[in-house]
């Protein structure tokens, strides 16, 4: 199969598989899609193992920054109104992620921001942006739900690379399966 056709087929098959399987799974699907895309952003076609580790490091760091920001926003130990406090906290979190990008393990700032954004999208569901939820060991806590979702999304990216390679390999070089 030609490379573009292999890419299209692999993407369609895995998108259907992810969407179908996530209808009954407790993990959020869209952070998985973010991690899948970030896997390719971080060089997954050439270096799948290191890309998977990089997705986890960057995106989970972004989720952590978002979680800490959420806790700070909810705590608001200042007399500042939310219209001032929230932008200051978000700015501080972005500053933290930006400063961390000086470290080689977190050098791809956009992927940290993807995790940060996934955090806020997850918290946008009613009942999740609550200190009791954010500090409990439960499935609707962003720090419990998102890291496994990001891992699974990264694994979908890895499966995508393998499936593209398999579909685009010449028939003579394919290993027969039992």
């Amino acid at each position: 199969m030609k490379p573009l056709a292999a890419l299209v087929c692999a993407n369609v098959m895995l998108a259907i598989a992810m969407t179908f399987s996530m209808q009954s799974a407790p993990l959020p699907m869209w952070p998985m899609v973010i991690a899948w895309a970030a896997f390719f952003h971080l060089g997954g076609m050439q270096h799948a193992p290191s890309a998977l580790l990089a997705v986890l490091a960057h995106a989970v760091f972004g989720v952590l920054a978002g979680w800490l920001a959420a806790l700070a926003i909810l705590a608001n130990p200042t007399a500042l109104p939310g219209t001032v406090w929230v932008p200051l906290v978000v700015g501080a979190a972005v500053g933290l992620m930006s400063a961390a990008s000086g470290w080689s393990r977190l050098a791809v700032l956009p992927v940290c921001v993807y995790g940060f954004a996934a955090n806020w999208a997850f918290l946008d569901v009613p009942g999740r942006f609550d200190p009791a939820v954010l500090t409990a060991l439960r499935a609707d806590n962003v720090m419990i739900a998102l890291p496994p979702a990001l891992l699974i999304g990264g694994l979908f990216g890895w499966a995508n690379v393998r499936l593209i390679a398999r579909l685009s390999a010449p028939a003579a070089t394919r290993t027969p399966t039992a």
Side-chain angles (χ1 to χ4, degrees):
M1 187 179 289
K2 291 185 179 185
L4 181 59
L7 173 87
V8 171
C9 286
N11 288 352
V12 168
M13 288 189 293
L14 289 170
I16 290 169
M18 178 185 276
T19 305
F20 182 74
S21 63
M22 290 301 104
Q23 290 178 13
S24 61
L27 295 173
M29 185 173 122
W30 296 114
M32 290 182 204
V33 174
I34 291 168
W36 184 351
F39 176 85
F40 284 93
H41 185 137
L42 292 165
M45 283 296 278
Q46 297 79 26
H47 308 287
S50 59
L52 179 61
L53 293 175
V55 165
L56 293 175
H58 287 80
V60 171
F61 179 70
V63 171
L64 175 64
W67 177 72
L68 291 171
L71 291 174
I73 288 167
L74 289 167
N76 190 355
T78 72
L80 296 172
T83 55
V84 175
W85 178 245
V86 172
L88 290 174
V89 171
V90 170
V94 170
L96 171 70
M97 290 186 297
S98 299
S101 72
W103 183 38
S104 63
R105 296 272 184 205
L106 297 172
V108 186
L109 181 57
V111 180
C112 295
V113 173
Y114 301 155
F116 188 75
N119 169 83
W120 289 103
F122 186 82
L123 292 179
D124 202 29
V125 172
R128 291 184 181 160
F129 188 58
D130 178 288
V133 174
L134 289 168
T135 57
L137 287 174
R138 34 189 277 190
D140 55 350
N141 179 338
V142 70
M143 288 304 297
I144 303 298
L146 263 53
L150 293 167
L151 171 62
I152 292 169
L155 291 172
F156 263 90
W158 196 332
N160 199 181
V161 167
R162 294 189 53 121
L163 189 54
I164 291 167
R166 177 90 172 134
L167 293 172
S168 62
T173 62
R174 291 190 191 138
T175 307
T177 56

